[in-house]
Amino acid sequence: MYSCKKSNEAQSLVDEQNNLVDEQKSLVDEQNNLVDEQKSLADEQNNLVNEQNNLADQQNSLVNEQKSLSDEQNNLADEQNNLVNEQNNLVEDSIIFR
């Protein structure tokens, strides 16, 4: 009888230990799932950062293009002013020679 009771207690302890092992396995699985989810969120964040960097690069290119066009416009304005000055000088010269 004593050995049977001891055997039952030992079996109960083994069952309890197995339950704890199963619970620990479940917690590890849950933790792994959370790690996977965190990795996915990190990947998504990296993709968004890359997209934002691409948009910033695109914006910088447009700013540079706009600056080039502005410089070109200023050069044309300078050229036009030079032509006007030249024309004024010719008018002055023709007035003087009259």
Side-chain angles (χ1 to χ4, degrees), residues 14-28:
V14 167
D15 289 346
E16 191 175 338
Q17 204 170 20
N18 285 338
N19 287 339
L20 288 172
V21 166
D22 288 344
E23 192 176 334
Q24 203 169 21
K25 284 180 181 176
S26 291
L27 289 173
V28 166

Side-chain angles (χ1 to χ4, degrees), residues 31-43:
Q31 200 171 23
N32 285 338
N33 288 339
L34 289 172
V35 166
D36 288 344
E37 191 176 339
Q38 201 171 22
K39 284 180 181 175
S40 291
L41 289 172
D43 287 345

Side-chain angles (χ1 to χ4, degrees), residues 15-70:
D15 289 346
E16 191 175 338
Q17 204 170 20
N18 285 338
N19 287 339
L20 288 172
V21 166
D22 288 344
E23 192 176 334
Q24 203 169 21
K25 284 180 181 176
S26 291
L27 289 173
V28 166
D29 287 344
E30 193 175 336
Q31 200 171 23
N32 285 338
N33 288 339
L34 289 172
V35 166
D36 288 344
E37 191 176 339
Q38 201 171 22
K39 284 180 181 175
S40 291
L41 289 172
D43 287 345
E44 192 176 337
Q45 196 172 25
N46 284 337
N47 289 339
L48 289 172
V49 166
N50 288 338
E51 192 176 337
Q52 198 172 23
N53 285 339
N54 288 339
L55 289 172
D57 288 345
Q58 212 173 0
Q59 196 173 25
N60 286 337
S61 292
L62 289 172
V63 165
N64 288 337
E65 191 177 338
Q66 195 173 27
K67 187 179 182 300
S68 292
L69 289 172
S70 177

Side-chain angles (χ1 to χ4, degrees), residues 61-84:
S61 292
L62 289 172
V63 165
N64 288 337
E65 191 177 338
Q66 195 173 27
K67 187 179 182 300
S68 292
L69 289 172
S70 177
D71 289 346
E72 190 177 338
Q73 196 173 26
N74 285 336
N75 289 339
L76 289 172
D78 288 345
E79 194 175 329
Q80 194 173 28
N81 284 335
N82 289 338
L83 289 172
V84 167

